[in-house]
Amino acid sequence: LTDSTRLALERALGGFVGEILARSMVALSLSWSHVDLDDLGPGDDKRLSAALLKGIRVYVNDVAQQRACVREVEFILLCAARDHLRSAACEELAADPEQPDAADEEAPVTIPIRTEDDVVLARSSGRDLCRTMGFSSSAQVKLATAISELARNIVQYAGEGSIRILRLNGIHAGVEIEASDEGPGILDPELVMSTQYRSRTGMGIGLKGARRLADEFWLDSAPGSGTRVVLRKYLD
Ligand SMILES: Nc1ncnc2c1ncn2[C@@H]1O[C@H](COP(=O)(O)OP(=O)(O)OP(=O)(O)O)[C@@H](O)[C@H]1O
Ligand SMILES: [Mg+2]
């Protein structure tokens, strides 16, 4: 949540408004929202994104560009929040190893992915779970489509991997999908999620589409470390 988040924000905004303006937008947003990136408290990420959005509305005139810019900024802040939560959760578990598993999650289903048949199976399993949980048919299709994109990428780029489908109960009921593989990884994850990305192997819209279809989306990938995508869709 420290310098790397600040740099990622500056780089993403720099693509839209130029480097110098991007740097001052991030600095100004931090002071407007009284957020210290080194010490984020509850709600700080929302205050920071609200302040950044104000800047985007002022400085990025073109509406389509504004939307793309907002999406990139939101993605970076989501990743940062996710990392923050993950390390806090790890610390909690280490402090109290006896702690039972969260009662509001059920055992996940994991589907190994190697072939197009596995893609179809993962897709229909996700859709079946959504149907059982009472998701609308359009939400079922959205989740199933996102699963297909992630599973196809595993077949196409990693050769093999898995899709894990988890039912989230609790207050925020929904479905979590985790696609993971130990393939070659993605050289520049930020680039593939940006509007600038041009794919040599496809249309280059699979991951961006999956992000759009989900309520939350995280991509974790680096060359040599495989790829992990987690997305969530909540019941309204
Ligand atoms: N699991 C993965 N392992 C390695 N590289 C991946 C993986 N998933 C995606 N990529 C890389 O990320 C890029 C973007 O993926 P994305 O699914 O968005 O587009 P695409 O597969 O190129 O085209 P399409 O629109 O047909 O899906 C791919 O071109 C590929 O280079
Ligand atoms: Mg793809």
Side-chain angles (χ1 to χ4, degrees):
L1 283 175
T2 54
D3 287 347
S4 65
T5 303
R6 189 190 306 253
L7 272 177
L9 284 171
E10 285 175 3
R11 216 177 307 139
L13 288 166
F16 294 90
V17 297
E19 236 173 77
I20 294 171
L21 192 49
R23 218 171 299 140
S24 53
M25 266 170 79
V26 173
L28 266 177
S29 308
L30 290 175
S31 58
W32 282 341
S33 56
H34 306 289
V35 170
D36 178 359
L37 272 185
D38 298 333
D39 186 19
L40 274 193
D44 279 351
D45 53 338
K46 290 208 175 67
R47 287 218 295 283
L48 174 58
S49 61
L52 283 166
L53 291 184
K54 246 191 252 167
I56 291 168
R57 286 204 191 94
V58 173
Y59 293 113
V60 185
N61 293 323
D62 175 67
V63 177
Q65 290 274 77
Q66 257 187 11
R67 273 196 217 110
C69 188
V70 166
R71 272 206 301 273
E72 294 207 13
V73 165
E74 283 177 345
F75 177 63
I76 291 164
L77 290 171
L78 258 178
C79 289
R82 167 85 168 178
D83 287 348
H84 187 62
L85 287 177
R86 210 190 286 143
S87 59
C90 288
E91 274 165 28
E92 235 171 68
L93 278 178
D96 182 9
E98 294 301 308
Q99 195 173 307
D101 285 342
D104 56 1
E105 289 182 3
E106 279 177 17
V109 175
T110 300
I111 299 156
I113 304 290
R114 259 183 225 103
T115 65
E116 183 62 26
D117 284 350
D118 302 328
V119 176
V120 174
L121 176 65
R123 180 186 168 95
S124 60
S125 308
R127 190 165 181 176
D128 289 349
L129 175 60
C130 286
R131 195 182 300 123
T132 319
M133 290 181 70
F135 276 88
S136 68
S137 25
S138 82
Q140 290 171 29
V141 171
K142 283 181 182 172
L143 192 100
T145 306
I147 294 177
S148 305
E149 291 298 338
L150 302 182
R152 280 223 174 83
N153 280 354
I154 291 177
V155 175
Q156 191 171 3
Y157 304 113
E160 61 180 328
S162 63
I163 298 276
R164 178 175 160 277
I165 302 174
L166 173 68
R167 175 178 178 152
L168 305 169
N169 293 323
I171 310 169
H172 224 169
V175 174
E176 180 178 286
I177 306 298
E178 177 179 22
S180 53
D181 64 66
E182 293 176 3
I186 300 177
L187 191 62
D188 187 345
E190 261 176 53
L191 176 67
V192 302
M193 295 310 296
S194 76
T195 45
Q196 270 87 52
Y197 181 63
R198 298 283 167 269
S199 171
R200 289 194 205 141
T201 41
M203 293 172 70
I205 55 169
L207 288 173
K208 287 193 283 274
R211 177 175 68 183
R212 214 185 50 238
L213 297 168
D215 293 324
E216 296 195 74
F217 179 98
W218 299 276
L219 165 64
D220 197 1
S221 184
S225 314
T227 299
R228 182 168 166 264
V229 178
V230 176
L231 60 82
R232 285 184 175 178
K233 189 128 194 84
Y234 296 114
L235 259 176
D236 290 330

